[in-house]
Amino acid sequence: MGPGGTGPAEPGHGQAGGVRTALSGLTTRGRSFLAAGIAAAVCAFVLGHSDLLRVGLLLAVLPLICATVLYRTRYRVAASRLLAPARVPAGGEARVHLRMDNVSRLPTGLLMLQDRVPYVLGPRPRFVLDRMEPGGHREVSYRVRSDLRGRYPLGPLQLRLTDPFGMCELTRSFATQDMLTVIPRVTPLPPVRFTGEAKGYGEGRQRSPALAGEDDVIPRGYRYGDDLRRVHWRSTARYGELMVRREEQPRRSRCTVLLDTRGGAYEGAGPDSAFEWAVSAAASVLSHMLERGFSVRLLTDGGSTVPGEGDGFGGAGQETAETAGLLLDTLAVIDYSDGPGLSRAYDVLRAGNEGLLIAFLGDLDEEQATTVAQMSRRSGGAVAFVLDPDVWTREATDVPRAGDRHEERLRLLREAGWTALSVPRGASVEELWRRADRERSGLASLSGKARG
C-alpha cells in the first residue's frame, strides 16, 4: 500500500473551538488538579489566607498551561501503511507495517500511535514512539487475523500527544484508510476429467478451424514472423497488401460455477456454517479450473455473472490472474440474497451450451429442484453439490422426514443427468471432488454399455 497520509498535528479552527478542544483533552489528573486549585482558591478567599490562594492558583493554572502548550504544538509527521499481503485467506494472518517520518525541523516529543481496526481483526494496536529527531523516522508493525471473509478498513491512523506531567492528552488523525481483503479458504483439488469436458489443446482448450474451405477464407494482414506458406495470394491481389490465412484458433473449454445464495436455503451462521462451506468450495473449484486452462465464470441464483463482460467468461491468457483475483474478491463479500428461486440463473444458462456446469446448492423445494434439473440440458456436464441444512444444524436422527425429502431431490437431479452429491456437515471438498469424478465416470461407463 502507499502512504497512509501526511499532515501536521495542528489545532482545530476557531478560537472558541480551540479552547473547547484543549479543555476536552484534560486527563483525570489534569481535571483533578484544576478542581483542587479552584477549591483551594475559593477557600482562600473565604478564609482570607493568601498563601492558600497562591497554592490554589498554581494547581489550577498548571493543567491549563499544559493544555495550551500541547494544543499549540505543531508536529509535521508523515505516516505510511504497508499490508503484506493485502489479500489473505480466512484464518490467515497479514502483517501491517507502519512508518512515521518527522518532516519538520524540530524534534518531536513522546508520541502514542494507535491504528483503528475492526474488532473482528483483533484489538486496536497501540505503540509508544520515542522522541524523533528532525528528518528521523520510526517503524512498527502488528498482525491482523480474521476467520470471517470480507473487506475490512484499516485506519485512520491516530497520534495521541501528551505533556510531560500527564495533565492533557490530544489526538490527531490522518484521513487515509487501507483495505484488507479476507478471501474464502481455497482447497487444492486433484486433477480429474468429468465427462462432457472439451478435449483438445492443453487441459481445457480445443482447436476449432477458422475456415471451412477456400471460399470461406478470412484473411488478415501480414505480421512480422508469419510463415510465408500461409500467404493467401488471391486476397493479396484483391487488397493490394500481403494477406495471410488465419490459423486454427484455440477455443478454451468453459466452466460455469453456480452458487446458490438464497437466504432461505441455508441455516446457521459463522465460519463453520453451510453457506460458508459452499462459498469456500466454489472458490476452490474456480481456482482449480482456472489453473487447468478453463474459461470460467461465477453465476449466482440472481442471474448475475462474474467477470460479467461479454459472455461472462474470463481467464484467457494473461487475464487468468486478474480473473482469479476478481472472483476471489467477489466471493470475499458475497452475502445472502433475497431471491426466492433459481429461475434467473436458469434463464442465463439456457441461452446456449455453457460447457461444464458445477453447482453448489442449498435446500431445494420441489419447484426449485425441477428448475435445477432443467439446467443440465444446455451443459456439457453437470455436477451438483447439495447441502442439507437440517444435517448441518441438527443431528441427522432428529430429522428423518427431512432426510427423505433431501434424497428425493437428489434422485430427481440424477434422473435429469446431474451427478448429484449430498454434502454432509464438515465434508472435505477434495474428497467430494474425487467422489464426483468416480460417480461421473461410472455413469459414463453405464451409458456407453447401454448404447452398445
Side-chain angles (χ1 to χ4, degrees):
M1 292 296 175
T6 304
E10 295 182 347
H13 300 284
Q15 187 68 21
V19 173
R20 288 193 298 269
T21 301
L23 294 178
S24 65
L26 290 176
T27 62
T28 302
R29 179 184 299 178
R31 295 176 187 273
S32 300
F33 267 67
L34 181 60
I38 295 175
V42 171
C43 292
F45 180 77
V46 173
L47 300 177
H49 292 283
S50 58
D51 293 338
L52 183 59
L53 179 61
R54 295 189 186 97
V55 174
L57 291 178
L58 176 62
L59 294 177
V61 170
L62 180 60
L64 296 178
I65 293 177
C66 291
T68 302
V69 172
L70 185 64
Y71 178 75
R72 296 181 63 83
T73 299
R74 290 170 171 82
Y75 293 141
R76 296 195 62 87
V77 292
S80 62
R81 182 188 295 104
L82 177 67
L83 304 183
R87 182 190 289 121
V88 296
E93 288 187 348
R95 182 167 289 274
V96 183
H97 300 271
L98 302 176
R99 177 186 171 111
M100 301 295 298
D101 292 271
N102 183 11
V103 297
S104 66
R105 298 181 179 179
L106 299 176
T108 67
L110 190 67
L111 301 178
M112 287 186 291
L113 186 65
Q114 175 179 279
D115 205 8
R116 298 184 61 182
V117 300
Y119 71 94
V120 296
L121 298 182
R124 289 186 177 181
R126 295 180 174 88
F127 307 94
V128 178
L129 303 183
D130 297 333
R131 175 180 177 273
M132 282 193 296
E133 65 280 2
H137 70 275
R138 298 290 185 271
E139 295 184 4
V140 293
S141 64
Y142 63 93
R143 294 179 297 178
V144 290
R145 179 182 182 275
S146 175
D147 292 327
L148 300 175
R149 57 186 176 80
R151 301 190 69 200
Y152 302 102
L154 300 179
L157 198 61
Q158 294 180 334
L159 282 178
R160 300 178 66 184
L161 312 177
T162 184
D163 65 281
F165 301 101
M167 298 289 180
C168 185
E169 189 176 89
L170 297 179
T171 302
R172 302 286 183 257
S173 297
F174 296 94
T176 305
Q177 293 181 325
D178 291 315
M179 198 68 62
L180 174 68
T181 303
V182 181
I183 60 176
R185 293 185 180 93
V186 176
T187 302
L189 299 179
V192 300
R193 177 172 291 281
F194 293 120
T195 302
E197 293 182 12
K199 301 177 180 179
Y201 184 75
E203 287 291 336
R205 288 179 289 187
Q206 62 182 4
R207 302 184 69 86
S208 58
L211 51 93
E214 186 66 21
D215 296 335
D216 297 322
V217 171
I218 304 178
R220 61 169 176 83
Y222 175 82
R223 299 172 186 170
Y224 179 78
D226 285 339
D227 190 348
L228 293 178
R229 290 174 296 180
R230 291 173 46 223
V231 174
H232 191 255
W233 298 109
R234 182 181 300 176
S235 299
T236 298
R238 179 179 179 182
Y239 293 102
E241 60 177 320
L242 203 59
M243 305 293 289
V244 297
R245 294 187 298 270
R246 293 182 184 271
E247 291 180 331
E248 291 182 340
Q249 302 296 321
R251 184 175 64 193
R252 297 166 64 92
S253 294
R254 293 180 170 184
C255 176
T256 299
V257 175
L258 171 61
L259 177 60
D260 184 6
T261 63
R262 294 172 297 126
Y266 302 92
E267 293 184 10
D272 296 328
S273 64
F275 181 67
E276 292 301 323
W277 187 96
V279 173
S280 177
S284 302
V285 171
L286 287 168
S287 300
H288 175 73
M289 302 309 284
L290 278 173
E291 292 175 357
R292 291 193 56 193
F294 277 69
S295 293
V296 303
R297 71 175 176 182
L298 173 66
L299 175 64
T300 64
D301 56 285
S304 61
T305 59
V306 180
E309 298 180 358
D311 55 7
F313 289 90
Q318 298 179 353
E319 299 177 359
T320 300
E322 181 180 351
T323 301
L326 177 60
L327 290 170
L328 292 177
D329 288 345
T330 301
L331 290 173
V333 297
I334 200 167
D335 202 353
Y336 294 112
S337 68
D338 298 329
L342 298 162
S343 58
R344 294 183 179 178
Y346 172 67
D347 293 338
V348 175
L349 292 172
R350 69 178 180 180
N353 189 345
E354 305 299 345
L356 184 62
L357 173 61
I358 302 175
F360 295 92
L361 307 170
D363 189 26
L364 301 173
D365 59 23
E366 185 176 357
E367 179 182 357
Q368 294 159 2
T370 303
T371 301
V372 174
Q374 296 174 352
M375 295 180 182
S376 63
R377 299 176 181 176
R378 304 297 294 176
S379 65
V383 182
F385 300 92
V386 186
L387 291 85
D388 186 357
D390 294 312
V391 175
W392 280 76
T393 55
R394 308 181 187 91
E395 294 294 336
T397 56
D398 296 337
V399 285
R401 307 295 297 178
D404 294 341
R405 185 171 64 88
H406 182 67
E407 289 299 327
E408 292 178 2
R409 304 294 183 257
L410 293 176
R411 184 167 56 254
L412 176 61
L413 297 182
R414 289 163 182 161
E415 292 175 351
W418 285 83
T419 301
L421 282 75
S422 178
V423 180
R425 182 179 179 84
S428 169
V429 181
E430 180 181 358
E431 180 58 32
L432 286 175
W433 188 251
R434 294 182 184 274
R435 180 182 166 191
D437 177 46
R438 291 194 298 266
E439 294 196 9
R440 190 74 185 175
S441 300
L443 288 176
S445 176
L446 292 176
S447 178
K449 292 180 179 179
R451 288 195 299 270

